[in-house]
Amino acid sequence: MATQSGLMASTVEKETTPARYAVMGNPVAHSKSPHIHRHFAHQFGHNIEYTALWVDVDGFREAVEQFRDEGGKGLNITVPFKLEAFQLADNLSDRAKLAGAVNTIRFEPDGKIFGDNTDGTGLVHDLAKNLGVQLRNKKILLLGAGGAARGVVGPLLRQNPAVLVIVNRTVSKARELAKLFAPIGKAEACGYEELVGKRFDVVINGTSASLKGEMPPLPVNLFANNAVAYDMMYGDKPTPFLEWAMLHGATIAVDGLGMLVEQAAESYLLWRGVRPETKHIITALRKGG
Ligand code: ATR
């Protein structure tokens, strides 16, 4: 009995002190992550505090160390700090090593920084689980060869597609990416003009074009029957790529909101050992709440 009440006392004590998490970025004010993670915590009755922290571009390391020293348990990292987080980590997951970037930090009990990257897994989860799109034996086209694209190549290749083509304006960057991932699987690299006459089942926009309201220079007749167009960006209205895709034969055109929620769920799993249910929060966010 004594042991039981002792246990209860320590549990109560633990639960009254919230475990601290945050997203660090610049800008970060409009981040949906605090809302998403509070929703996750609610599912399990976890007592967490999750905030959005604006960090000066020159102050990332100090901000991370301060957060850790004040007892923080974990962080999400967003633009423009994912590369710096990669460099700062003491240990890295395999997927973070492949992505060359860190979007999730877990502080270990000894204070060491474990860096992970949940972006690519988030994309694959959104496609497979939420949209019912299996990637095995599919022809996939990935637009872009920057940091965002790199983060998803490994998880896409692991789904064993028939082919993964990486297309980029600067073709050399696409070639470098394909070479980097050769140990995982075969990716082909090309320029936009080489896409003429080719068709794909899944076209994923990993460029930053949508951020600027631009559209990658894609040829018409790009989509196979029942093709999916996926933009890793999201916003209040469809991106130019998604609008174009609907006009040019894609059956499904979807933005990256689901990916955002799924990468968050993977982060939550890394921190707390349980993977939250995601459907309800995705639906709520789509409705604007
Ligand atoms: P991020 O971290 O968002 O990936 P990045 O590393 O600067 O940002 O990479 C931006 C990617 O978007 C690049 O692949 C870039 O193509 P180039 O390497 O040829 O510049 C691509 N990109 C940006 N604007 C684009 C546009 N209007 N059309 C096609 N690709 C575009």
Side-chain angles (χ1 to χ4, degrees), residues 24-43:
M24 286 186 176
N26 185 342
V28 79
H30 296 291
S31 172
K32 295 185 193 299
S33 293
H35 183 55
I36 294 168
H37 281 281
R38 284 174 206 148
H39 183 277
F40 289 166
H42 188 70
Q43 284 180 32

Side-chain angles (χ1 to χ4, degrees), residues 79 82-83 143-150 167-171 173-174 192 205-217 232-233:
V79 177
K82 290 185 187 184
L83 283 178
L143 317 180
R150 179 173 167 176
V167 63
N168 201 41
R169 289 184 308 197
T170 317
V171 187
K173 280 166 70 181
Y192 282 93
N205 186 11
T207 74
S208 55
S210 301
L211 272 182
K212 302 174 274 180
E214 293 171 4
M215 165 70 203
M232 284 163 53
M233 300 280 163

Side-chain angles (χ1 to χ4, degrees), residues 211-240:
L211 272 182
K212 302 174 274 180
E214 293 171 4
M215 165 70 203
L218 292 168
V220 293
N221 299 327
L222 189 66
F223 296 106
N225 287 340
N226 297 318
V228 178
Y230 193 102
D231 202 320
M232 284 163 53
M233 300 280 163
Y234 63 88
D236 296 339
K237 54 186 173 59
T239 65

Side-chain angles (χ1 to χ4, degrees), residues 58-81:
D58 295 323
F60 180 68
R61 172 187 279 270
E62 292 70 27
V64 170
E65 289 172 353
Q66 188 184 342
F67 190 80
R68 176 193 58 195
D69 296 345
E70 287 172 1
K73 301 286 185 209
L75 288 168
N76 283 129
I77 310 298
T78 189
V79 177
F81 300 119

Side-chain angles (χ1 to χ4, degrees), residues 120-131 258 262 266 275:
T121 312
L123 168 67
V124 169
H125 258 94
D126 191 35
L127 283 165
K129 204 169 56 116
N130 302 328
L131 304 167
E262 295 297 341
E266 285 289 310
R275 197 180 197 285

